[in-house]
Amino acid sequence: MHHNEQPTGNACNGSTREGGLVWRGCSASCDAEDGTTGAFDDGNSNPGDKLEGSDAAPDDPVHLKRRVGLFSGVALIVGTMIGSGIFVSPSGLLARTGSVGISFIIWMACGLLSLLGALAYAELGTMNTSSGAEYAYFMDAFGGPPAFLFSWVSTLVLKPSQMAIICLSFAKYAVEPFVAECEPPDSLVKLVAVISIVMILAVNCYSVNLATNVQNIFTAAKLVAIAIIVCGGAYKLILGNTRHLQEPNFASSKATLGNIATAFYTGLWAYDGWNNLNYVTEEIKNPSKNLPLSIIIGIPLVTLCYALVNVSYLAVMSVSEMADSEAVAVTFGNRLLGPMAWLMPLAVTISTFGSANGTLFVAGRLCFAASREGHLLDILSYVHVRRFTPAPGLIFHSLIAVAMVLYGTIDSLIDFFSFTAWIFYGGAMLALIVMRYTKPHAPRPYKVPIIIPYIVLFVSAYLVVAPILDKPQWEYMYAAAFILGGLLVYLPFVKWGYSLPFMDKITVFLQMVLEVVPTSTTFEY
């Protein structure tokens, strides 16, 4: 885990041969061509003060290239947010609240919270344009240990488990039409899920352009599916089917402090992905403009879609039918579409595949960013010499996701680690607030009102604390222990720089097999 250091005398525009391999790249401490130093210096010589980042050095042939434009940015946000959640989650949210009115309020509140959080992330992402999202912001604001703990939890649990559960949803809906009148066997579902992970991995390793094109196509397809649901609901409303919408049932609500928090988790699972564009800021064209613009277009679009879809569901189904349904969209299709009912399982399949593709696309960049700082295995920060994709990071995430799919206890992992995600979202808000004071003169092409990060920080604290107070469980302690357990890895391997003697040979072997080389980005003020 100890990061490779550049050999003595290695110039930015040169290359050094070591062990038969040509090592190329420009470290963050090298001087740029125009004579400016690589790191932004605020007088404290803090290595975390790498703020407004340029593209990779022009004389470095191996780096992540800026290929994600505005349309692809919106597609990445919309495509990863709209996964299986809106086709499945409405039933869980209704069951937890017992009220149509409160469930609608929570759906809209989840959208507003996602938008506010993403706008705050837009400031962070335009201030520090290196990939890695929360990891990069924690490095800037708090230093190494918090950033390492984030990469530790996200790399080993959060991102792979998210990928695994999306692919399991994809596999279930893909297999269901071929299995008559019974539940598809678990072994078949897992096999299809593993095949889908391998396919998505191949796409992302082959080309960034191919991955973004796949994302664009599948995002367009899932918006068509949502349009079918909305049009079907509108048709029923025109016919006068409004009785389920006329009784918001506020009085019959069974919402408690903890229930509302867990209902938020259910809704926020459908909105998850609002921060994904920040993981790939090094690959966004003109990030100071396109990052906030993608957020401002993408998240309200998703919120509007979700509102219209929920209204459409209630135009066709009763509250009890919706709450009892395991897959609301499929029930909707069976009720309304007749012989075309197969469109709904197909829509969920398309939606989940696109969401899984976007999830892996950003997860590989987190590995890349953390490894480049020496917080993960060196090989994970390497880039393919011709395709310029972070192939080792993508492969690493996919292997963990496959293991989780085969192990099969994803739901319990998600239940008790979803609250840890909001610990980190809250931490990012705190990082923004802290850097307003510690780095007041840092370049901020986009700046949000300071009240926004305070609101998201307060809501994050509520979402973390309320379920624990309402229903204490040992699993929350296990999750917290896992997070803090990362320090047992951080201290010897990162802080003290201990390196296992055989790791260099493994790194060189993998480098030759995968055809990848180290790279680094030059940061200029």
Side-chain angles (χ1 to χ4, degrees):
M1 290 192 181
H2 183 55
H3 200 56
N4 281 335
E5 277 139 18
Q6 294 287 344
T8 306
N10 184 23
C12 269
N13 58 356
S15 62
T16 301
R17 185 173 295 274
E18 182 179 359
L21 294 175
V22 177
W23 299 82
R24 298 182 186 273
C26 183
S27 77
S29 60
C30 290
D31 290 344
E33 281 188 328
D34 60 0
T36 59
T37 56
F40 171 74
D41 184 7
D42 65 354
N44 297 323
S45 299
N46 185 347
D49 295 337
K50 294 179 287 189
L51 296 176
E52 181 67 26
S54 68
D55 203 346
D59 55 357
D60 181 0
V62 184
H63 56 269
L64 296 178
K65 297 181 180 295
R66 296 197 184 277
R67 294 170 173 170
V68 181
L70 177 61
F71 185 82
S72 293
V74 173
L76 184 61
I77 291 174
V78 174
T80 51
M81 287 178 74
I82 302 177
S84 61
I86 188 58
F87 303 106
V88 178
S89 291
S91 56
L93 209 152
L94 260 180
R96 282 184 166 91
T97 59
S99 164
V100 173
I102 289 181
S103 68
F104 261 96
I105 289 171
I106 290 177
W107 272 111
M108 295 302 98
C110 287
L112 179 61
L113 178 62
S114 300
L115 179 60
L116 293 178
L119 289 174
Y121 269 61
E123 176 177 328
L124 290 165
T126 55
M127 189 176 79
N128 182 340
T129 58
S130 59
S131 293
E134 292 94 344
Y135 175 82
Y137 314 145
F138 290 171
M139 282 292 291
D140 275 350
F142 311 125
F148 175 83
L149 292 181
F150 171 75
S151 65
W152 164 259
V153 175
S154 293
T155 302
L156 293 181
V157 178
L158 290 180
K159 294 294 181 186
S161 62
Q162 186 182 13
M163 175 84 175
I165 201 167
I166 293 170
C167 287
L168 282 169
S169 298
F170 163 81
K172 183 179 178 183
Y173 284 101
V175 168
E176 205 166 295
F178 302 100
V179 182
E181 302 298 326
C182 63
E183 282 290 309
D186 281 348
S187 57
L188 181 60
V189 170
K190 289 181 178 182
L191 176 62
V192 173
V194 170
I195 292 171
S196 69
I197 291 173
V198 173
M199 289 173 60
I200 292 166
L201 173 63
V203 166
N204 279 269
C205 285
Y206 183 78
S207 165
V208 172
N209 285 339
L210 178 60
T212 54
N213 287 337
V214 166
Q215 195 64 31
N216 295 348
I217 292 166
F218 277 81
T219 298
K222 70 180 68 178
L223 289 175
V224 170
I226 284 175
I228 292 171
I229 295 174
V230 171
C231 290
Y235 172 73
K236 281 292 187 179
L237 289 174
I238 291 169
L239 294 179
N241 287 19
T242 59
R243 62 186 183 278
H244 304 311
L245 293 165
Q246 290 172 348
E247 298 177 5
N249 295 330
F250 287 108
S252 65
S253 172
K254 53 186 179 182
T256 64
L257 187 74
N259 270 355
I260 288 175
T262 53
F264 261 99
Y265 279 141
T266 305
L268 288 168
W269 170 252
Y271 282 96
D272 197 49
W274 54 264
N275 64 327
N276 274 349
L277 197 57
N278 287 66
Y279 284 94
V280 298
T281 43
E282 283 182 37
E283 295 165 85
I284 300 175
K285 301 172 184 174
N286 192 7
S288 61
K289 175 187 174 185
N290 285 336
L291 177 60
L293 202 54
S294 298
I295 287 166
I296 291 166
I297 294 170
I299 296 176
L301 176 61
V302 172
T303 306
L304 177 64
C305 288
Y306 284 3
L308 293 175
V309 166
N310 274 284
V311 170
S312 299
Y313 285 156
L314 287 167
V316 176
M317 290 175 278
S318 69
V319 174
S320 59
E321 286 172 330
M322 198 168 157
D324 292 339
S325 175
E326 286 189 8
V328 182
V330 175
T331 306
F332 175 92
N334 292 336
R335 283 285 174 82
L336 192 66
L337 300 179
M340 301 294 286
W342 56 269
L343 280 173
M344 283 300 100
L346 177 64
V348 179
T349 304
I350 290 171
S351 185
T352 46
F353 189 87
S355 185
N357 178 70
T359 299
L360 183 62
F361 186 85
V362 301
R365 275 64 183 175
L366 171 61
C367 263
F368 172 83
S371 177
R372 190 171 57 187
E373 294 291 338
H375 285 183
L376 294 174
L377 297 172
D378 290 338
I379 190 70
L380 299 180
S381 69
Y382 291 7
V383 172
H384 195 278
V385 290
R386 293 185 304 278
R387 306 196 184 281
F388 308 110
T389 56
L394 295 167
I395 293 169
F396 180 74
H397 266 287
S398 299
L399 288 173
I400 298 177
V402 166
M404 288 181 166
V405 164
L406 296 176
Y407 188 61
T409 57
I410 307 298
D411 290 340
S412 58
L413 274 173
I414 288 292
D415 284 345
F416 295 105
F417 276 89
S418 57
F419 91 103
T420 65
W422 279 94
I423 292 175
F424 295 124
Y425 292 154
M429 297 304 108
L430 187 61
L432 191 155
I433 294 165
V434 165
M435 286 192 286
R436 283 286 183 94
Y437 296 101
T438 59
K439 304 179 191 297
H441 304 300
R444 289 177 172 85
Y446 178 84
K447 194 171 183 178
V448 293
I450 193 65
I451 188 66
I452 287 179
Y454 276 109
I455 291 171
V456 180
L457 178 60
F458 173 78
V459 175
S460 302
Y462 167 72
L463 289 173
V464 170
V465 173
I468 298 174
L469 294 180
D470 186 63
K471 190 180 178 183
Q473 297 184 61
W474 280 107
E475 282 83 351
Y476 293 120
M477 289 295 294
Y478 299 152
F482 179 82
I483 296 172
L484 296 175
L487 292 174
L488 299 178
V489 178
Y490 175 80
L491 288 173
F493 293 106
V494 180
K495 181 71 174 176
W496 299 327
Y498 177 73
S499 179
L500 297 173
F502 54 83
M503 281 309 300
D504 285 342
K505 292 180 181 178
I506 292 176
T507 299
V508 171
F509 172 75
L510 290 174
Q511 187 179 350
M512 290 188 291
V513 169
L514 299 175
E515 296 185 311
V516 292
V517 292
T519 184
S520 185
T521 299
T522 301
F523 291 86
E524 300 171 7
Y525 178 62

